[in-house]
Amino acid sequence: MTTLRTRVAIIGAGPAGLLLGHLLERAGIDAVVLERRSREYVEHRVRAGVIEYGVANFLEESGVGDRMRREGLVHHGVELRFDRASHRVALSELYDGRAITVYGQAEVVNDLIKARVATGAPLLFETEVQSISGLLNSTVTIETQSPDGPLTIEADFVVGADGSHGVSVASIPASVVTRYERVYPFSWLGILAEAAPATEELIYCRHERGFALYSMRSPSVSRLYLGVDPNDSLENWSDERIWDELTIRLATDDVPAIQRGPIIERGITAMRSVVIAPMRYGRLLLAGDAAHIVPPTGAKGMNLALADIRVLAPALIAQLHEGDDRLLERYSDTCLERVWRAEEFSTYMTQMLHPHATDEFENGVQRARLRQIVTLESTARSLARNYVNLSSLQEPGA
Ligand code: APR
Ligand code: PHB
């Protein structure tokens, strides 16, 4: 039986866990990142790809934004399509010249893994955390299963950045934590395709047959989504049916049909909102998807995860360098204020863009909301601020 002693054990090598590991390493604090999957797996997991203005700046300030700045696609607007017409929301004009960066989460993860591997700091793949104990004691004990057999980690703090369904939330007694949850009556069928993007900007589309989204990863790779029934499955969707449906939903009276191409990845994801409160229990701090899930319509998942770390890293550093607990004590409240704002925005976007099968009153409200964005500047401005920078609106100067 091997035991490893560290100051901070970080569970999960997603964007949250890896960025925290990087910032602690820069501050000279010894930490171990534990990841149950292989490096190959996490580097190729296809996820969302919109980085907010303030979060992109934060990645750059953290020393891991070089490739994002070089290769990320800077977008100054998004398109809204409904009732067969296309409307541009000029994000940058509406919000002080600020823009979003389209750069896949897998790329962020790649950059962070490279940065950690370059320092030689511990990043243990294929090492699954099985139990966490002693959260109210002075030392936390974490039992893992590693490729070399059982491995015990002893740490001052443990950070649960282990995504949804992680082991860390389960180690908090149910009586001291509240789980707020909403399940939406639709899922997204997502594809990655070798096809040149239809336009230079993302297209969020509401069609009577359902939601559609046109996004991209590069000038030759597109990422597209269709809103589908939660009980639907991939077997029902041939390549041809996927493209036909995307073509119908995204059609307008004056824009050419979308380009088709080989589909290189596909999946169906259910949509839900979850908030776990508080985000701390004794020596356990939750971050990212482990603490909150948003439906993808607002593109907030990765931004919230990275914004948690912007609060958590200085809090842990102050505690471990100076014994100063004040920031750590405020961690959960500071994050939850932003998380609930993101839940509100994501719910708003989701409900406005997914037509209801039978409720025509609801459909009338959805279309009125969309028309309000494209006709009323104050509404468009509010959308632009939330879309471009929600996760940093509490930061000074935002
Ligand atoms: N032991 C070790 N690792 C674990 C365990 C465990 N018991 N359970 C989960 N993990 C790992 C997962 O394999 C995953 O790689 O934790 C990692 C969590 O990473 P993410 O799911 O990427 O979560 P996070 O870093 O919070 O990033 C949130 O992910 O789902 C998207 O939209 C979401 O973009 C957002 C981002
Ligand atoms: C994506 O590019 O995968 C993407 C973009 C915007 C969203 C969700 C996903 O709202």
Side-chain angles (χ1 to χ4, degrees):
M1 184 81 133
T2 316
T3 301
L4 217 141
R5 169 83 213 165
T6 187
R7 301 219 74 188
V8 185
I10 301 171
I11 311 175
L18 287 166
L19 182 59
L20 179 65
H22 174 72
L23 294 172
L24 294 180
E25 172 67 19
R26 287 218 312 184
I29 291 171
D30 171 48
V32 177
V33 181
L34 305 159
E35 168 58 52
R36 72 167 163 198
R37 303 283 194 174
S38 66
R39 176 171 178 175
E40 161 80 13
Y41 182 93
V42 297
E43 285 188 336
H44 292 97
R45 192 161 39 190
V46 179
R47 296 265 186 77
V50 172
I51 304 184
E52 293 177 7
Y53 170 83
V55 171
N57 287 345
F58 176 54
L59 286 173
E60 187 174 21
E61 285 154 21
S62 304
V64 284
D66 289 357
R67 195 162 70 93
M68 172 197 68
R69 288 292 189 217
R70 272 199 319 275
E71 296 176 18
L73 309 169
V74 176
H75 285 197
H76 296 282
V78 288
E79 200 177 312
L80 287 179
R81 278 190 191 177
F82 57 98
D83 296 342
R84 291 190 67 86
S86 146
H87 306 265
R88 180 168 190 262
V89 182
L91 298 172
S92 299
E93 280 169 36
L94 290 160
Y95 185 31
D96 303 335
R98 297 174 188 196
I100 50 162
T101 302
V102 176
Y103 188 66
Q105 180 170 322
E107 307 307 325
V108 174
V109 164
N110 263 270
D111 297 343
L112 287 164
I113 290 177
K114 278 206 190 75
R116 188 157 186 90
V117 168
T119 63
L123 166 53
L124 310 181
F125 288 102
E126 294 168 66
T127 300
E128 176 157 9
V129 172
Q130 297 183 316
S131 72
I132 307 169
S133 56
L135 288 173
L136 300 181
N137 303 341
S138 55
T139 299
V140 188
T141 305
I142 296 150
E143 303 294 351
T144 77
Q145 196 59 44
S146 80
D148 306 323
L151 168 68
T152 303
I153 318 274
E154 288 179 354
D156 295 342
F157 287 95
V158 55
V159 174
D162 47 347
S164 51
H165 311 295
V167 63
S168 52
V169 175
S171 67
I172 307 177
S175 58
V176 299
V177 70
T178 307
R179 182 186 167 90
Y180 302 86
E181 180 159 15
R182 170 177 287 181
V183 176
Y184 300 85
F186 7 77
S187 292
W188 277 14
L189 187 164
I191 61 163
L192 200 61
E194 283 167 1
T199 60
E200 283 175 5
E201 294 175 344
L202 269 63
I203 306 167
Y204 285 88
C205 173
R206 179 188 185 281
H207 188 278
E208 283 62 46
R209 296 169 67 100
F211 170 83
L213 169 61
Y214 204 125
S215 179
M216 61 211 67
R217 289 291 175 273
S218 75
S220 58
V221 175
S222 294
R223 175 85 173 140
L224 299 102
Y225 299 91
L226 282 171
V228 297
D229 188 273
N231 300 314
D232 214 335
S233 76
L234 281 176
E235 292 116 62
N236 300 328
W237 289 89
S238 64
D239 290 17
E240 198 185 357
R241 182 174 174 215
I242 293 174
W243 285 118
D244 287 348
E245 192 63 29
L246 284 163
T247 306
I248 295 172
R249 293 190 193 179
L250 287 161
T252 71
D253 292 331
D254 47 10
V255 179
I258 55 170
Q259 295 257 355
R260 300 182 180 209
I263 297 177
I264 46 185
E265 208 271 342
R266 71 191 74 209
I268 291 188
T269 320
M271 251 199 242
R272 62 202 175 109
S273 282
V274 177
V275 177
I276 307 284
M279 288 168 59
R280 175 180 186 180
Y281 175 67
R283 291 180 175 272
L284 169 66
L285 289 313
L286 301 175
D289 274 18
H292 38 75
I293 307 287
V294 283
T297 329
K300 295 298 170 213
M302 173 167 52
N303 290 294
L304 285 182
L306 297 173
D308 285 349
I309 301 308
R310 182 169 51 194
V311 182
L312 184 54
L316 279 171
I317 293 167
Q319 198 322 305
L320 292 167
H321 275 334
E322 290 146 39
D324 183 345
D325 273 329
R326 286 173 300 176
L327 289 176
L328 215 47
E329 273 159 15
R330 290 208 300 274
Y331 170 67
S332 176
D333 287 347
T334 305
C335 290
L336 285 170
E337 195 180 322
R338 163 175 38 79
V339 167
W340 279 114
R341 279 199 68 152
E343 294 290 359
E344 187 280 325
F345 178 66
S346 306
T347 302
Y348 160 81
M349 290 286 282
T350 302
Q351 289 176 345
M352 177 170 72
L353 288 160
H354 291 75
H356 199 281
T358 52
D359 185 345
E360 288 309 323
F361 183 88
E362 166 67 20
N363 288 329
V365 171
Q366 291 182 6
R367 293 166 69 230
R369 283 193 175 141
L370 284 162
R371 280 199 298 272
Q372 196 180 128
I373 296 168
V374 300
T375 54
L376 199 65
E377 191 175 303
S378 57
T379 305
R381 202 177 288 285
S382 158
L383 177 96
R385 272 172 70 86
N386 283 326
Y387 192 75
V388 173
N389 211 23
L390 184 145
S391 308
S392 302
L393 293 177
Q394 294 159 300
E395 295 292 304

